[in-house]
Amino acid sequence: MVSIAVQSTFTLPSRADIVSRLATSPPLEELLTSDDIERQHFLAQQPLKPAAVLLLVVNHPGDPTVVFTQRNADLADHAGQISFPGGRCDDADCTPERTALREAEEEVGIPAERVEILGRLPQYLTSTGYAVTPVVGWAEPPLTFRPDPREVADVFEVPLAFLLDAGNHRYESALQRGRLRNYWAMPYGERFIWGATAGMLVTFHRILAPKPMTRKDF
């Protein structure tokens, strides 16, 4: 496995900064590496099911965090992986925001009325056949988590400062089924955030970066 750390400094944005920058997000081509763009174009050629996740920022004074779940090890899909609360859209869901809030309440017990929606990230296509809309939310502490034991093994928070520091973003390569696969990863202690979840966080960082980044294609 090859791993490349991306170094940079970053000033933590305010709630107002997040709202403003999500509303004026640059084109997707300015946010992704050439590998990521090629992969997204390839995945767009297959049938995809709509889904949404909630990237929830919890406004702890001086140290805001983001909420993650660790899926149960015995699930059929993404067993044991770290992800945002979320899932596929139901017929009754009229918007990705409704899907993300419903799933967050079902999976980890966060009431929808506790979450302020700040905006969306660009849609992210996955190799498992989903078109995922990341919905960015904001909540004031304290939050009490009530994870659904059928789906969620653990709920935890990671400092936003860690996630938005590109020095913690790793672009890794590994052989999978005889093919070289590139993906983003953000190891945090014993937690390994990677794949689609890490890719969405990299996009979040690049949208929030106060100045255009010089992107290096790996």
Side-chain angles (χ1 to χ4, degrees), residues 76-135:
D77 295 325
H78 309 295
Q81 290 188 13
I82 290 171
S83 63
F84 301 119
R88 70 172 66 189
C89 297
D90 285 351
D91 292 339
D93 295 334
C94 55
T95 64
E97 286 78 9
R98 183 168 179 176
T99 297
L101 292 174
R102 174 182 56 76
E103 287 283 343
E105 187 158 10
E106 292 175 358
E107 289 185 2
V108 298
I110 301 173
E113 59 270 19
R114 293 292 310 276
V115 179
E116 178 188 359
I117 300 299
L118 303 186
R120 300 179 184 177
L121 301 182
Q123 196 173 64
Y124 194 97
L125 311 184
T126 73
S127 59
T128 52
Y130 289 95
V132 183
T133 299
V135 176

Side-chain angles (χ1 to χ4, degrees), residues 8-218:
S8 80
T9 58
F10 189 80
T11 301
L12 201 62
S14 67
R15 173 194 164 282
D17 290 333
I18 296 174
V19 172
S20 174
R21 291 170 190 164
L22 288 175
T24 57
S25 174
L28 192 63
E29 289 73 17
E30 296 182 17
L31 298 171
L32 303 181
T33 66
S34 59
D35 282 347
D36 291 333
I37 292 171
E38 181 179 354
R39 180 176 175 80
Q40 293 292 292
H41 287 171
F42 172 77
L43 293 172
Q45 299 173 25
Q46 62 180 334
L48 296 166
K49 299 178 285 292
V53 297
L54 181 64
L55 193 169
L56 182 61
V57 179
V58 183
N59 188 31
H60 296 288
D63 189 21
T65 61
V66 173
V67 176
F68 294 88
T69 67
Q70 181 146 11
R71 295 172 62 82
N72 279 338
D74 56 356
L75 290 175
D77 295 325
H78 309 295
Q81 290 188 13
I82 290 171
S83 63
F84 301 119
R88 70 172 66 189
C89 297
D90 285 351
D91 292 339
D93 295 334
C94 55
T95 64
E97 286 78 9
R98 183 168 179 176
T99 297
L101 292 174
R102 174 182 56 76
E103 287 283 343
E105 187 158 10
E106 292 175 358
E107 289 185 2
V108 298
I110 301 173
E113 59 270 19
R114 293 292 310 276
V115 179
E116 178 188 359
I117 300 299
L118 303 186
R120 300 179 184 177
L121 301 182
Q123 196 173 64
Y124 194 97
L125 311 184
T126 73
S127 59
T128 52
Y130 289 95
V132 183
T133 299
V135 176
V136 180
W138 182 275
E140 297 294 335
L143 292 179
T144 300
F145 302 123
R146 299 186 303 277
D148 181 350
R150 296 169 298 179
E151 297 186 49
V152 178
D154 194 14
V155 184
F156 63 97
E157 300 174 51
V158 176
L160 182 63
F162 175 89
L163 298 170
L164 295 184
D165 182 350
N168 298 320
H169 302 174
R170 307 194 69 86
Y171 198 65
E172 302 194 344
S173 302
L175 283 174
Q176 186 180 56
R177 298 176 183 174
R179 296 181 61 185
L180 187 66
R181 179 186 176 188
N182 299 318
Y183 56 89
W184 288 100
M186 300 179 190
Y188 178 72
E190 297 181 353
R191 312 281 189 177
F192 190 68
I193 304 167
W194 72 288
T197 301
M200 294 174 202
L201 287 165
V202 169
T203 301
F204 190 41
H205 165 262
R206 290 177 173 175
I207 289 173
L208 297 182
K211 296 180 181 179
M213 292 184 61
T214 300
R215 191 183 72 230
K216 178 181 178 181
D217 295 337
F218 301 108

